[in-house]
Amino acid sequence: DADVTQTPRNRITKTGKRIMLECSQTKGHDRMYWYRQDPGLGLRLIYYSFDVKDINKGEISDGYSVSRQAQAKFSLSLESAIPNQTALYFCATSDLGPAGETQYFGPGTRLLVL
Amino acid sequence: GENVEQHPSTLSVQEGDSAVIKCTYSDSASNYFPWYKQELGKGPQLIIDIRSNVGEKKDQRIAVTLNKTAKHFSLHITETQPEDSAVYFCAAVIKAAGNKLTFGGGTRVLVKP
């Protein structure tokens, strides 16, 4: 089974709708992240959480919110979806160790906002 | 702000040739530099990393070099094969950004048979 899972894998929604993307991990890591990848290249950080009680904004948090329901679960919500939020969304986990921070990514959720 | 810049954005090489991707970073306190490979339809996966106390690291056909003075690091892929075709991301732990990984913009590598 995959260590980091994301649901749904694909989603089509309409402008103004509220949607939630979910992420679960079995790696036992404290740190979880949500990134956005736009067509082409680039990973931009939306929100991150270093433990269950810790939530932090990334570089592009406007229009998004998150909830860390448990160590293993971190969900991303789009309160009122707009077309420029069409992108590929990745969840990642990490555990900062002495060698550095290796992030483990989920398979991604492809979101289309019409 | 603190960032990581990656070049080139696309790279096309003939099978068997070498590919080199370069990244620069701005935070002189950065001490960990991983490289990720993203295959089509998948999330990025770590392929190699280097810490600031070494200048070079190799793993079979891939190697990474680090020049802390110049604040740049590079990924070298030798004897490229079609399965090396992917998007590659460099990253650095930016202390000024709260000890978080900051990613470069990515390089799309195409290995032509």
Side-chain angles (χ1 to χ4, degrees), chain A residues 37 41-42 48 90 99 101 103, chain B residues 32 36 38 43 100 105 108:
Chain A
Q37 184 177 32
L41 304 166
Y48 63 101
F90 287 104
E101 181 181 8
Q103 293 198 5
Chain B
Y32 177 64
Y36 287 79
Q38 184 182 19
K100 299 191 309 299
R108 186 178 299 279

Side-chain angles (χ1 to χ4, degrees), chain B:
Chain B
E2 303 294 344
N3 59 15
V4 177
E5 295 194 358
Q6 181 171 349
H7 299 282
S9 58
T10 60
L11 180 59
S12 182
V13 297
Q14 206 66 38
E15 182 177 357
D17 288 349
S18 295
V20 180
I21 304 169
K22 298 181 180 180
C23 289
T24 60
Y25 60 97
S26 54
D27 184 0
S28 57
S30 296
N31 59 5
Y32 177 64
F33 308 91
W35 285 88
Y36 287 79
K37 176 183 181 182
Q38 184 182 19
E39 296 178 339
L40 194 61
K42 298 182 179 180
Q45 284 193 308
L46 179 73
I47 53 172
I48 194 168
D49 56 18
I50 191 168
R51 285 184 284 169
S52 58
N53 58 348
V54 297
E56 184 176 5
K57 184 177 179 180
K58 290 183 179 180
D59 183 3
Q60 299 182 338
R61 294 186 297 106
I62 60 173
V64 58
T65 58
L66 171 65
N67 183 327
K68 283 216 72 180
T69 302
K71 291 190 285 188
H72 66 71
F73 56 112
S74 301
L75 179 72
H76 304 252
I77 307 174
T78 58
E79 300 173 23
T80 53
Q81 301 170 5
E83 54 264 36
D84 295 328
S85 294
V87 177
Y88 293 81
F89 292 97
C90 64
V93 173
I94 302 293
K95 292 189 179 297
N99 274 336
K100 299 191 309 299
L101 270 183
T102 298
F103 288 85
T107 298
R108 186 178 299 279
V109 174
L110 175 62
V111 180
K112 296 180 289 185

